[in-house]
Amino acid sequence: MANIFSFCVFIVLSSLCFSKAQHVKVYELKRGYFSAKFTNYGATMLSVILPDKTGKLDDVVLGYDMVNDYKNDTTYFGAIVGRVANRIGGAKFILNGVTYKTDANDGKNTLHGGSKGFSDVIWTVKSYKKHSHVTFSYESFDGEEGFPGNLSVSVTYMLLHKSKLAVKMMAKPLNKPTPVNLALHTYWNLGGHNSGDIMSHTLKLFGSKITPVDSELIPTGEIVPVRKTPYDFRRPREIGSKFDQLPHGYDINYVLHKSRRSRHLRKVAVVVESKCGRKMELWTNMPGVQFYTSNMLKNEKGKNGTVYGKYAGFCLETQGFPDAVNHPNFPSQIVKPRGIYKHFMVYRFTAH
């Protein structure tokens, strides 16, 4: 993991008109049979194409055929969400004695930064280099969706070797302290985006505790062990193996184990789809990961006419803890001017 930013990728740039005034561009990163596409609308991951154990190529990311379709979606397919990902209870928080009211777009709560969070803005293509990387940037203004201060944000996607995808998210407050919690909201199905549900995928998750939630999915403030509960994935098992105990599926934040070595990324999860042989491993520097089994998908028309239903994909969104701004016992998400928010993710894909 120490060399995650030593990389060489091939970038193919194409563009299409998003509106009369603005353009959205699509970037393909490709190395061997491993390729991925991204767009500067929401700094969104559009596709990841991987070989299976026989060499057959499939797109393993849920999404839409056209970039325009991402404009009005409520799924957050593949998007970077923020300024604060996940939920803020009551759509408000107190910082340095000031109460900030954020946009309530999920009942009385804020979800993924508000009605027009980072997933619904056009990012600038800050840099791209042939055989290198693509970086998107966004300047978030003071008061945007209720959050304090101007914030400079960037996201870099890169392919490493022939089997790794790295993501680097950074943010710098310019004039006020502010909460920052970015997340990549990709829906994965290792059998292929159109292969059905993910119930038979095998998951090992490196977290022995969760932050339980109330009926509105707002954390109670507790941190509890997963032992002897359907949330226990410390040993590999099929995602759907305990749905009889959890009929609505998974949508919960796990507290990740710390790395045994300082400055090393934490291992998050290992996911395997046995029929095709694809395996995905994930590392991060964040303290938590939201495991979500697309419980709220319902007849969503996606790529190639595929209709995605419940459990068509899974999300592993590395993050700070949900609603941390209202729970002093959770790791703080407040970043001060001169401070820098840094969020790293590394995926490794194999097939056997």
Side-chain angles (χ1 to χ4, degrees):
M1 295 299 106
N3 296 323
I4 65 172
F5 297 115
S6 298
F7 53 85
C8 180
V9 299
F10 178 71
I11 298 180
V12 178
L13 172 64
S14 64
S15 64
L16 58 150
C17 183
F18 185 80
S19 68
K20 291 182 179 180
Q22 294 172 303
H23 293 267
V24 167
K25 298 181 179 181
V26 176
Y27 292 77
E28 183 181 24
L29 309 184
K30 185 175 177 63
R31 190 167 178 84
Y33 293 110
F34 178 25
S35 65
K37 289 183 180 179
F38 309 90
T39 175
N40 58 319
Y41 186 80
T44 298
M45 179 187 292
L46 301 175
S47 67
V48 173
I49 296 177
L50 302 169
D52 69 3
K53 62 185 177 182
T54 68
K56 180 177 177 287
L57 296 176
D58 287 300
D59 183 355
V60 297
V61 167
L62 276 61
Y64 301 109
D65 283 326
M66 303 297 293
V67 176
N68 267 1
D69 295 334
Y70 289 83
K71 182 178 180 182
N72 297 313
D73 83 307
T74 57
T75 63
Y76 302 95
F77 278 156
I80 295 293
V81 293
R83 179 177 306 195
V84 174
N86 217 302
R87 290 172 173 83
I88 296 177
K92 63 182 179 180
F93 62 92
I94 298 173
L95 178 58
N96 294 335
V98 178
T99 298
Y100 293 95
K101 295 183 179 180
T102 52
D103 178 57
N105 64 324
D106 184 48
K108 63 182 181 180
N109 309 306
T110 298
L111 175 64
H112 295 328
S115 300
K116 193 174 182 181
F118 292 176
S119 60
D120 284 315
V121 298
I122 298 178
W123 295 54
T124 299
V125 181
K126 185 176 180 181
S127 66
Y128 69 93
K129 295 181 181 180
K130 190 175 181 179
H131 308 294
S132 185
H133 65 282
V134 58
T135 297
F136 302 120
S137 67
Y138 178 66
E139 298 298 320
S140 179
F141 57 87
D142 186 9
E144 185 174 14
E145 301 300 289
F147 292 99
N150 298 324
L151 186 72
S152 290
V153 189
S154 69
V155 178
T156 300
Y157 293 102
M158 55 210 110
L159 295 187
L160 315 179
H161 309 293
K162 294 183 179 180
S163 64
K164 294 179 184 176
L165 169 65
V167 187
K168 178 175 69 172
M169 298 172 243
M170 301 186 72
K172 185 177 181 181
L174 301 182
N175 54 356
K176 294 179 182 178
T178 185
V180 183
N181 184 30
L182 307 182
L184 175 60
H185 208 296
T186 302
Y187 291 67
W188 301 93
N189 187 321
L190 298 182
H193 77 94
N194 58 352
S195 64
D197 65 52
I198 44 79
M199 304 286 265
S200 64
H201 283 51
T202 298
L203 170 67
K204 180 177 182 179
L205 206 156
F206 293 81
S208 56
K209 297 178 181 179
I210 58 171
T211 53
V213 295
D214 62 20
S215 61
E216 296 181 347
L217 300 178
I218 303 300
T220 62
E222 299 172 285
I223 298 175
V224 302
V226 298
R227 185 173 177 268
K228 295 185 177 180
T229 77
Y231 294 101
D232 191 351
F233 285 95
R234 291 176 298 168
R235 292 183 178 180
R237 62 178 176 86
E238 290 189 353
I239 289 174
S241 60
K242 294 190 177 180
F243 265 49
D244 59 332
Q245 301 176 50
L246 208 68
H248 300 297
Y250 293 91
D251 192 3
I252 198 74
N253 173 65
Y254 282 78
V255 180
L256 294 173
H257 300 155
K258 292 182 179 180
S259 173
R260 293 180 179 179
R261 298 182 180 180
S262 62
R263 299 186 181 181
H264 280 234
L265 300 181
R266 307 170 191 241
K267 189 74 172 281
V268 177
V270 179
V271 189
V272 177
E273 206 289 318
S274 58
K275 291 182 181 179
C276 69
R278 292 190 185 97
K279 179 168 76 171
M280 182 180 86
E281 299 170 87
L282 175 60
W283 291 262
T284 190
N285 64 327
M286 289 289 104
V289 62
Q290 189 81 11
F291 175 47
Y292 174 54
T293 48
S294 59
N295 318 321
M296 298 179 190
L297 277 185
K298 184 179 180 181
N299 299 324
E300 191 72 26
K301 187 175 180 181
K303 299 173 182 176
N304 309 121
T306 303
V307 178
Y308 303 127
K310 267 189 175 184
Y311 319 129
F314 67 89
C315 301
L316 288 167
E317 307 158 59
T318 57
Q319 61 179 5
F321 296 178
D323 199 29
V325 289
N326 291 311
H327 295 284
N329 59 314
F330 288 178
S332 175
Q333 296 169 5
I334 305 303
V335 186
K336 299 177 181 178
R338 298 186 181 180
I340 300 177
Y341 168 91
K342 298 179 181 179
H343 181 168
F344 304 122
M345 304 174 75
V346 177
Y347 298 91
R348 179 165 64 193
F349 303 98
T350 51
H352 300 287

